[in-house]
Amino acid sequence: MLSRVADEVANHTGVVWTNVISLRREDAERLGYDSAAQWQALLRSRVELLCENYKIDSRNLKWYAAFHNESHHPHVHLVVYSTKPSEGYLTKKGIEAMRSAYAHDIFRQEFMSIYEKKTKQCEALKEQADKSLLFLMRQIQHGVCHNEKIARQIKLLSERLDRTGGKKVYGYLKADVKAVVNGIVDELAGEEPVAACYRAWLESKNEILRYYKDTVPELPSLSEQKELKSIKNMVIREAVRFGQGYLHAEEEGLPEQEEVLEESATDTDWRETDVESGGDRYGVPEVFSDDLPTDNMGRSVRGESDTRDGEHNATEYYADWTDTYQEARGYLYGTPETESDAEAAYEIMREEAEKGNAYAMHDMGKIYAQGIFVEPDQETAEAWYHRSLTAMFAVEQEKAEAFRLFLRSYRKGNPYAAYELGKLYEEGRGTERNQEKADSCYHAAFLGFLNLEKKAKDDTLWYRIGSMYLHGIGTEADEVQAEKYLTLAADYGNPHAAYQLAKLYIRQETDRLRREPEEIPDHEKIKKAAAWLRKEAEEGNPSADYALGKLYGDGILTARDMDKAFFHLQRAAAAGNVYAQSRLGRWYLEEEYKNIPQAVHYLTMAADRNHDLAAYRLGKLYLAGEGIPKNAELAIGYLEQSAASRPVPDGVKAYAPSGEYHGRGCDGQKAEQQPDGD
């Protein structure tokens, strides 16, 4: 066999590439790569990787490998060539891609913990950037900014944005305006709290690179990091507010942040709706692969599900905040309505853990470690922690399998698979997050959908194309084209398109009236939008109820009707819409509609769903004892929840308003006073 391969390679007239993939002895033994079988399985699973990076058609690819179990570095020699001598070439980028892919396969478990740490550090960096930026904006507002360069750049950006039409979002701006934003972001990165967070995030990023690279890149500028694009939009937000003469006050930013959060969440409704088929519990729709039959439009034909909605097969792992898990946590930690109940927490948590919920397994470990209802048992605790880790690893592997199947179907030209692959790249599920690849997949999907749309009248395709135009996914944002395709789909009876079109009309008219208050709204558009929303609301869409409640409550485009506003928001809140719950809680705190028990009811619902601003308002209520019994422990619990979720705006205390005390002691006792600025 070896002599035949040697002759074949020696007589080949084209390029032959030889590679060595090597591991340290300790890593090879620990990970099972001290045997030929493990290397063989790895290389066979990655044949498509060779085709992609050597630019060789799979029908022409030839590869051979030999395993050498050297004492200090077990390794394989990999020979690659094409039976078509003129075919194939390898770039530096291709080499890096292969090194990365093999490293991610071999060191998968180590990378999982690093990625988890990196994600947390990324969020901490964004939070610190937001907090530092708000601090600088307050200084600029008072004319005493310690960073004069940022002050000048913010004023310049504010003037430029004032003369810029359309959405004030980074992706929509002209190159020269983007350059100003980038300059501010890089200057912000020089602020020490931001710089420290940025260094920590980069260190985690480089920790992965060191597994398969001898050197790591020098410190790149913050504005070059695609994963941190949201910081650029933070800068734009503050520059716009500065131009509008916005003043930062005691509860500065809360209503505005709420509007932004609500708008960004409802803007992604269309992406959460799987218009072809149901999705699995990770939000990944049915996989398109060679193993699945497809219809004449290239979509998978789905069979009957093995489990009912909301149920999990006992042999499967999952990681969900299910109703049962939330109930168990309520008993474990207590809620404003119920005290903790160790026995109930143990029984319900164990039941959920046995079903396969990795989160519940981790809490079972904590129950045994701390001796909650049971005798402390470190060995059993460790066993539960191990099961939780195993379950989380299985969940990650399932995502990786979805990624692999989508990738295979995408390479065969399936636009639906291209779209789903884009989501996986964008969110870092089943693969490393890569916005550049995500954009490429989205663009391929968009072109594929346009091509399919020419062949048939399909309202779901019109809906997808319209939504992609609307949100600038896979193409430049174009509201005219978005309206055209969404209208086609809505006229064909597509309820999702009607809902998106209604929100588009409302946003367009609201923005226009805010810019030109003397103008008259387009009543035909508003009438259509309200009719679509009412129809959707009657069909049980809580987002439509929320949109109607907001429409009637704002009173900008229609006559203000608080009876209708409360009706629709209460119905949305009852159906679980967290933004309706939070808004109702806020309204019931206002003098005109003040009802503290109702405010507490709705804010608690929202806080239980991790709405940080609802938790903040609840914390202040319990701290002040306004209309409810004063409860310092609950107050601090909610305020800490809010502070942990995202930074409280500068000027708002994370734990207590100025002059009050932070402590877990009895009500009325002094504890450690929070210094100004904490």
Side-chain angles (χ1 to χ4, degrees), residues 247-440:
L247 298 178
H248 298 77
E250 160 64 15
E251 291 215 359
E252 177 273 318
L254 291 190
E256 289 76 15
Q257 286 180 47
E258 214 153 19
E259 293 290 339
V260 170
L261 284 170
E262 292 168 5
E263 190 61 33
S264 63
T266 53
D267 272 352
T268 58
D269 286 348
W270 71 277
R271 298 179 73 175
E272 300 301 323
T273 306
D274 181 12
V275 295
E276 269 67 56
S277 63
D280 71 7
R281 60 180 169 272
Y282 308 115
V284 181
E286 188 69 25
V287 173
F288 300 93
S289 77
D290 298 337
D291 304 322
L292 295 174
T294 57
D295 64 13
N296 59 6
M297 296 298 288
R299 296 172 299 207
S300 67
V301 179
R302 191 174 186 177
E304 289 297 317
S305 174
D306 294 326
T307 56
R308 296 179 181 179
D309 291 343
E311 294 182 358
H312 295 285
N313 189 305
T315 62
E316 293 180 347
Y317 291 124
Y318 58 100
D320 280 348
W321 279 68
T322 61
D323 290 341
T324 305
Y325 177 59
Q326 291 185 61
E327 181 185 7
R329 281 181 62 87
Y331 284 122
L332 185 61
Y333 299 108
T335 69
E337 288 79 25
T338 59
E339 293 186 4
S340 60
D341 184 328
E343 182 177 2
Y346 174 83
E347 295 295 340
I348 298 171
M349 193 71 76
R350 185 181 182 89
E351 178 186 348
E352 182 69 3
E354 294 294 355
K355 286 180 181 178
N357 193 331
Y359 295 155
M361 293 176 192
H362 187 272
D363 279 330
M364 284 301 297
K366 186 182 294 184
I367 285 172
Y368 275 101
Q370 298 180 6
I372 300 172
F373 183 67
V374 295
E375 289 296 318
D377 185 337
Q378 197 59 37
E379 188 175 337
T380 304
E382 290 298 329
W384 276 111
Y385 286 140
H386 180 73
R387 285 183 67 181
S388 174
L389 184 62
T390 302
M392 288 302 297
F393 183 58
V395 168
E396 290 301 316
Q397 283 189 314
E398 188 168 331
K399 294 175 185 176
E401 176 65 7
F403 172 80
R404 187 184 69 80
L405 293 174
F406 278 131
L407 181 62
R408 185 167 64 181
S409 192
Y410 159 68
R411 286 176 176 157
K412 295 191 174 187
N414 189 315
Y416 292 93
Y419 183 82
E420 297 305 329
L421 191 64
K423 287 205 293 186
L424 295 180
Y425 273 126
E426 184 175 35
E427 298 164 12
R429 289 188 288 128
T431 185
E432 188 175 357
R433 182 179 283 121
N434 189 320
Q435 190 60 48
E436 186 177 345
K437 287 187 176 180
D439 292 341
S440 176

Side-chain angles (χ1 to χ4, degrees), residues 159-175:
E159 292 168 2
R160 297 299 304 275
L161 290 173
D162 190 48
R163 299 195 296 269
T164 300
K167 283 188 176 181
K168 305 297 192 294
V169 179
Y170 185 81
Y172 289 77
L173 301 180
K174 293 180 179 179

Side-chain angles (χ1 to χ4, degrees), residues 585-602:
R586 176 153 56 94
W587 282 359
Y588 280 122
L589 290 177
E590 295 175 3
E591 283 301 322
E592 191 174 355
Y593 315 107
K594 187 164 254 185
N595 186 325
I596 298 299
Q598 284 289 75
V600 170
H601 170 70
Y602 285 111

Side-chain angles (χ1 to χ4, degrees), residues 114-170:
I114 298 173
Y115 276 126
E116 183 179 355
K117 178 176 69 173
K118 180 170 164 259
T119 299
K120 289 179 180 177
Q121 289 170 338
C122 182
E123 293 307 311
L125 171 57
K126 291 176 183 177
E127 291 176 1
Q128 185 57 57
D130 197 17
K131 191 172 183 179
S132 294
L133 181 59
L134 286 169
F135 175 73
L136 289 165
M137 293 307 299
R138 287 176 63 82
Q139 288 190 331
I140 293 171
Q141 175 182 303
H142 295 297
V144 290
C145 185
H146 71 273
N147 190 321
E148 293 182 2
K149 187 174 181 180
I150 279 189
R152 289 195 303 272
Q153 289 178 316
I154 284 286
K155 291 171 184 175
L156 172 62
L157 179 60
S158 177
E159 292 168 2
R160 297 299 304 275
L161 290 173
D162 190 48
R163 299 195 296 269
T164 300
K167 283 188 176 181
K168 305 297 192 294
V169 179
Y170 185 81

Side-chain angles (χ1 to χ4, degrees), residues 562-579:
M562 293 307 292
D563 287 338
K564 287 183 179 179
F566 275 106
F567 169 78
H568 286 290
L569 286 184
Q570 286 166 352
R571 195 160 66 173
N577 186 294
V578 69
Y579 300 106

